[in-house]
Amino acid sequence: MKIARPWYSGIDSTVLQQNVKRLDIAYKNFFEGRGFPKFKNRSNFTSFTFVMGVKIQGNKIYLPKLGWMRFYNSRSIPDGFTIKACAVRKRQNGWYVSIRIEDKSIPDYLTKSLVDVVKIIGCDLGITKLVHLSDGHQIKNPKFATNKKAKRTLKIRQRRVSRKVKGSKNRKKAAKKVGLFHQKISDKRQAYQWKIAREIVDRNIDAIALEDLNVSGMMRRCRVKIDNKTGRFLKNGQSRKKSLNRSISDAGWSELTLKIEYLAAKQGVRFVQSK
């Protein structure tokens, strides 16, 4: 590949290897019936991973083939930890670096066995209320993307994009504002979910029970209905279901479940999922 396309020589070998692994996973998912692989060229590749050669000194980071560069060091690496990998990701407002570190001297988190579980709390996910707890407590759903103000703002910004000439710089500027608004909503949702997950895990409990929802199945399109006599398509309720799908997507049940599971493991709380 480097002989056929010389610009490949400017990319670190571990980055190329990680991308080959991504491709292998994509085809494996395809053959197991989990979606078709999406083609990506070098212009729309928004994330890549370094496995070796990453160094950090104060507010500077060294990435192989790219060299030293300044970055905002939001969290310093504790003593005794070694850098295992570095993921670089592009977002609407810039590039972000995520460092994976390891210290083998630190023991793993130990969760309680089912025999030692005495206090357990059940969580039911919803849309009107984000979480219903078995003790009667309810957690509200702010609806960051589906509230009236957010929908109006998004509608105005998308309309500005559609009115600009295709391929123009003004259209790119307008599209960037749409992306920044989506990022703002995502950041708000992430911060709120971490707060809720911490609130649930910090209760005086030994285990958390949470329903295992098939979110992708709930958001799947309605089956097509065809009139046997005329061959025309009949109404199947998809237009009404569209609003429900948006509310489910805005709630972010899957992401919230992962955060609760992560914090529960750190606290030694048993996490159980059931249908």
Side-chain angles (χ1 to χ4, degrees):
M1 291 295 291
K2 289 182 179 180
I3 296 173
R5 296 172 175 81
W7 57 270
Y8 265 91
S9 300
I11 307 174
D12 184 61
S13 60
T14 60
V15 173
L16 298 175
Q17 291 167 6
Q18 294 300 314
N19 289 339
V20 172
K21 287 183 179 180
R22 288 191 192 180
L23 181 63
D24 183 58
I25 293 172
Y27 273 107
K28 183 179 178 182
N29 291 334
F30 166 68
F31 288 116
E32 292 179 359
R34 291 195 293 269
F36 195 83
K38 295 181 180 179
F39 175 77
K40 289 187 178 181
N41 55 23
R42 57 177 173 174
S43 62
N44 61 10
F45 225 96
T46 57
S47 64
F48 48 92
T49 304
F50 295 91
V51 179
M52 297 175 61
V54 179
K55 305 173 187 176
I56 294 179
Q57 292 181 1
N59 63 341
K60 291 185 178 180
I61 185 171
Y62 176 81
L63 301 176
K65 296 285 187 176
L66 296 178
W68 288 97
M69 61 187 70
R70 291 179 178 272
F71 81 117
Y72 177 69
N73 193 354
S74 61
R75 187 180 302 175
S76 59
I77 299 176
D79 296 334
F81 284 84
T82 56
I83 299 175
K84 300 297 293 182
C86 170
V88 183
R89 184 164 62 103
K90 183 182 180 182
R91 300 189 71 186
Q92 292 295 331
N93 62 347
W95 292 85
Y96 287 77
V97 177
S98 177
I99 307 294
R100 188 167 74 244
I101 57 178
E102 180 187 31
D103 187 355
K104 294 183 179 179
S105 63
I106 297 178
D108 294 332
Y109 294 106
L110 299 177
T111 57
K112 294 184 178 181
S113 62
L114 292 175
V115 180
D116 299 329
V117 172
V118 178
K119 298 179 181 179
I120 185 170
I121 190 169
C123 303
D124 182 33
L125 303 177
I127 293 176
T128 305
K129 297 292 183 180
L130 186 60
V131 184
H132 299 259
L133 301 179
S134 58
D135 59 359
H137 182 68
Q138 295 180 340
I139 299 172
K140 67 177 183 178
N141 183 11
K143 299 181 180 180
F144 296 106
T146 54
N147 61 65
K148 187 176 181 180
K149 184 179 179 181
K151 289 194 292 185
R152 183 177 181 274
T153 304
L154 186 60
K155 181 181 178 181
I156 293 172
R157 295 193 182 185
Q158 287 176 335
R159 187 169 57 202
R160 289 174 181 172
V161 174
S162 63
R163 289 178 176 178
K164 301 292 188 297
V165 179
K166 290 186 177 181
S168 65
K169 290 185 178 180
N170 286 334
R171 188 182 177 92
K172 290 181 180 178
K173 290 178 182 178
K176 185 177 181 181
K177 288 185 178 181
V178 175
L180 288 171
F181 184 70
H182 280 296
Q183 181 182 340
K184 183 179 179 180
I185 291 173
S186 177
D187 291 342
K188 284 183 178 180
R189 186 186 296 113
Q190 291 285 339
Y192 185 73
Q193 287 181 347
W194 280 117
K195 177 184 175 182
I196 295 307
R198 173 61 65 186
E199 181 182 335
I200 294 173
V201 175
D202 282 348
R203 290 170 173 266
N204 186 20
I205 52 176
D206 301 323
I208 298 174
L210 203 143
E211 56 182 337
D212 187 10
L213 297 174
N214 182 13
V215 180
S216 59
M218 296 171 68
M219 297 179 63
R220 192 174 292 126
R221 293 182 63 87
C222 300
R223 290 185 179 180
V224 177
K225 293 182 179 180
I226 302 176
D227 193 340
N228 295 329
K229 294 181 179 180
T230 61
R232 293 184 177 182
F233 292 103
L234 301 174
K235 292 183 178 180
N236 60 350
Q238 179 58 38
S239 60
R240 289 178 294 176
K241 190 174 182 295
K242 183 169 63 175
S243 178
L244 175 62
N245 289 349
R246 287 176 180 172
S247 299
I248 294 173
S249 178
D250 187 28
W253 292 334
S254 299
E255 294 181 2
L256 178 59
T257 301
L258 291 175
K259 291 178 177 61
I260 294 174
E261 184 179 4
Y262 170 76
L263 292 178
K266 289 186 68 175
Q267 295 286 89
V269 178
R270 188 82 180 188
F271 181 82
V272 181
Q273 266 190 304
S274 60
K275 294 183 179 181

